[in-house]
Structures are given as structure tokens and as C-alpha cells.
Amino acid sequence: MAESASKVIHIRNVPSEATEVDVQQLAQNFGPVQRVVVMRAKNQALIEMQDIAAAINMIQFYTGVQASIKGRNVYCQFSSHQVLTPNENPARTHQEGAPNRIILVTIHNPLYPINVDVLHQVFSPHGFVEKIVTFQKAAGLQALVQYNNQASSIQAKNNLQGRNIYDGCCTLDIQFSNLSELQVHYNNERTRDYVNQLPDQPGKAPGNIMQQSLFGEGGNVYGGIPGQRPGVFPGQMGQMGQMGQMGQMGQPGMPQPGMGGLNAYGGATMAAAAAAQMFGGNLPPGVTGTNDRCTLLISNINHEVVDADKLFNLVSNYGNVLRIKFLHNKPDHALVQLADGLQGELAVTYLKGATVFGKRLEVNYSKYPSINPSADTKDYSTSNLNRFGRNAPKNYRHCCAPTRMLHCSNLPADATAEMVVEHMAPHGPVLGSKVIDKDGKKQVLVLFESVEAATDALVAKHASAIGGQVIRLAFSKSQNL
């Protein structure tokens, strides 16, 4: 970026879930904002102020004050652009055509499967949805939603733009489409016509109730039946969820106050069924699948050894960690916020009583629903070390309490079992190891003498480097090499 002043400001490290409104709030106190461009794929944004003086004031202010968006530090500087125009910006500028009854929806950070049923549940409260078509593009998961009139599409865009389907993920980015009519030939998991009776997808028996998600992870994770809308995952609409807070209250399928994130289409039973599908049909012993508390209080931590990153290494085996905060007055206590209640329940179930660096952990639900961003809070919401993304169902099925066996992946091609054992040996005696070649990728199982030694090794060595490659460690259910 050029050093000379410009009325266009370039912002780096922008959260992927940030909307144009979030970015504009950063600048609006310094003068009128002419245009905002968010480049989510690059975690960047551009802001065009009304004049150079306003841009200079903004840059000078954020030179002495740390700018942040959604709790994440961002960095401002003058852009090489002197003005923003749709043709000048190489990325999508979010400039739209005239309002239309068809809207284009991009779902950012889709941690959970999204299919036509989920989208219909989200968009139908704002008008009659005629058709939905979903597809995968470079920009991410996208859908075209056709209403029967333009007023409904405008209402949906105004009410849902920037909202999350589930807490902390599946962010909606909506613009008007320039299409006049959607073409739907079959009713299946990717396309649906709610007006005309169409045949099912070729090769499937009529009325097939197993609707595979867009991620192809073995069927409908919602465990739905014909005519029944899916229940939301427990905790994903925690504290009523963002759409419940800001959308239309009292609409079918939307979270209601005091319902703990469970909607009217199935309640706790449906939530438990949805969670069970993540584990192949049956919940693990002791897991209810109905918990909606996602913030944990972990105490008796050996804080002289275990910092936020090491605690992340442990807890991230059970869900996506959003934030961690150690308490000033109790340095052996930490708050850990996970993405949803199911992940919180897994962590409590499997980690309560685990021994880490000589200390037996106490793991309980916190009275706080979330952790507020602050200087002493570490944010992991955008960390690529979080494990529960597109392969979430597979990772759920691998969840277990700490074991003596560690699974090591993401190894360099020339790595050997001896290299891995040497890397972990400082944490306790190793009884043996085994190399696994899966799909051309080398993995290693390491068997420790004790569960405590394996746990310490995972806490200390997950996300460390072997041969310049950042490795990943997880507890394995395997009993023998």
C-alpha cells in the first residue's frame, strides 16, 4: 500500500464473519463513509471516506488506539486506491443491482451442514419461498432463494443480512440476484421447488428421507422425517441466537426466549436426535445432546506450565474454541468458550478429572454465557487449528476421554516413527509406535505408558513442528498398535 494519504483506507486482519456494517462502524465517527468493500477471502476491507481529511483523522486516531472488529484486532493504513469503483476493485465489491424477488445468499464460516431445509426454515418467516437452489463456489457455500414477491425478498435481506444461522458461524451475506426465474428440475438436497410437484433426484427412491448435507458427510445430520423441519443443534442458538435476538420473534422455526436455543419443531428430543447423528446415530454414554451452555470454568490448572495455547490444545479435541481467559485473582482458573452446547458437554464429560502436568482438572459449566473480548482474553475464533469444520461429523465420532494412545497427523513426507517418538519422549515413557499410510498421507500412532504422559504430550506438542511442518495430535480410541 502506498504511504501517501488517500481517502480510501485499507484494513487488514478483518474477521471472516464481519459485515459491511461492522467495518463501517470503525470509521463512522470520523466523517461520512462513501463506500465499504469487504474481501472476506483475504480478511481485508476497504473504506472510502468522504474526504482525505476524514481519512487522515481516522489513521491518526488508530495509530495510538488499537482498532478492533468483533473482538479481533485489525490494522489500518492508507490504500493505493484514491477512490473505490466497482470496476477498480479486483474483489467482489458487494455492489448490487435493483431489488429483485430472488436473492443470492453466501454462507460464511459454515461449521455445520446447511441444506435446503435449513435455508427454508431461515427465510420462510419473511415471505412465501417458491424455490431454493444451493451450490458451492470459490466464495463459499451459496444459495439462490426465490420469493413470490419482491417485498418479501427486501424484508428478508433487511432482517437477515449479517446474521448467524447458528451462534458464531454460518454468517449470512445477502444481495439481490439479477436472475428473473430459478430453474429447478428435481427436489433433492440441493434444489427444491415449493410450488410444483417435481420428481426426486434420479437414482433415488421417491420419498427418500435421508437428505445428504452439502458436505456429503453421510446423510441428513438433522435426523429429520418427511414434513418435519430440523431442530437446531444444542447451543448453536444459545442466548436465543443472533437471529432470535434480531429477527422476528414468534415465527415458526426461530428460537424463542427461554427455550435454550431449541425451536418449536422437536425441542430437546429433536436436538438430541440431531446430536446423535453427529456420532453415527447414538450418543456417547453420559452425553445428552441437549445442553446449551458453551462456556466452561476449568480449575486446578498447573498455570506455571499450562498457558492459554496449551489449554486450547487440550479442549480443542472436543470442539471449536472461541476464547480463553485466565482469571487474575485465581490464576489456576480459566474460562473457555466453545462454539456450542454440544461441544461444551463433550469437554465437560471427557475432561472432568483429567490429570494435566500433575494437576487433576475440575471442569464445570460457567455461570457466564460467553467471554467478552478484552486485553487479557485470547481469541481463537479464526484459528485454523480448530478441528470441527467441514469434517465435523468425523471428528465428533473420534471424541473420547484422554487415552494412552496419541494419533499424530499432518506429518512431513520424510517423517519416521522414531522422529515422532523422539519429539514426544520428554513427556513420559513410550511403549511403541506405528506408522499408518492413509490416502498417501503419513500418520503415526504413539502408545505411552500412562494416560497422564500422553495427555501432557498432547498439551505440549499439538501444533508444534516436526521437519518444518505443524503437526496435529489427538487422543485415539485404539487400544493396541
Side-chain angles (χ1 to χ4, degrees), residues 47-117:
I47 299 176
E48 181 182 340
M49 304 299 291
Q50 187 177 55
D51 52 49
I52 291 180
I56 292 174
N57 287 338
M58 178 176 170
I59 291 293
Q60 288 177 342
F61 178 81
Y62 288 121
T63 299
V65 175
Q66 177 61 60
S68 65
I69 297 176
K70 288 186 171 294
R72 182 174 179 177
N73 291 344
V74 298
Y75 306 95
C76 308
Q77 63 189 86
F78 291 116
S79 169
S80 58
H81 295 272
Q82 295 301 311
V83 66
L84 291 180
T85 65
N87 293 332
E88 198 174 12
N89 181 29
R92 181 174 70 83
T93 63
H94 208 76
Q95 296 301 302
E96 303 172 5
N100 184 11
R101 68 185 181 128
I102 301 176
I103 53 177
L104 173 64
V105 183
T106 303
I107 297 98
H108 298 284
N109 194 24
L111 296 185
Y112 297 95
I114 303 295
N115 57 22
V116 291
D117 289 326

Side-chain angles (χ1 to χ4, degrees), residues 4 12 35 60 122 129-130 142 166-167 177 211 214 251 260 270 301 311 336 341 356 402 450 459 462:
S4 58
R12 296 179 288 112
R35 183 169 297 160
Q60 288 177 342
V122 170
V129 175
E130 293 183 336
Q142 293 187 312
Y166 303 123
D167 279 349
S177 169
Q211 294 182 340
L214 288 172
Q251 294 291 348
M270 195 64 183
I301 300 169
L311 191 57
V336 180
V356 180
S450 67
V459 168
H462 176 67

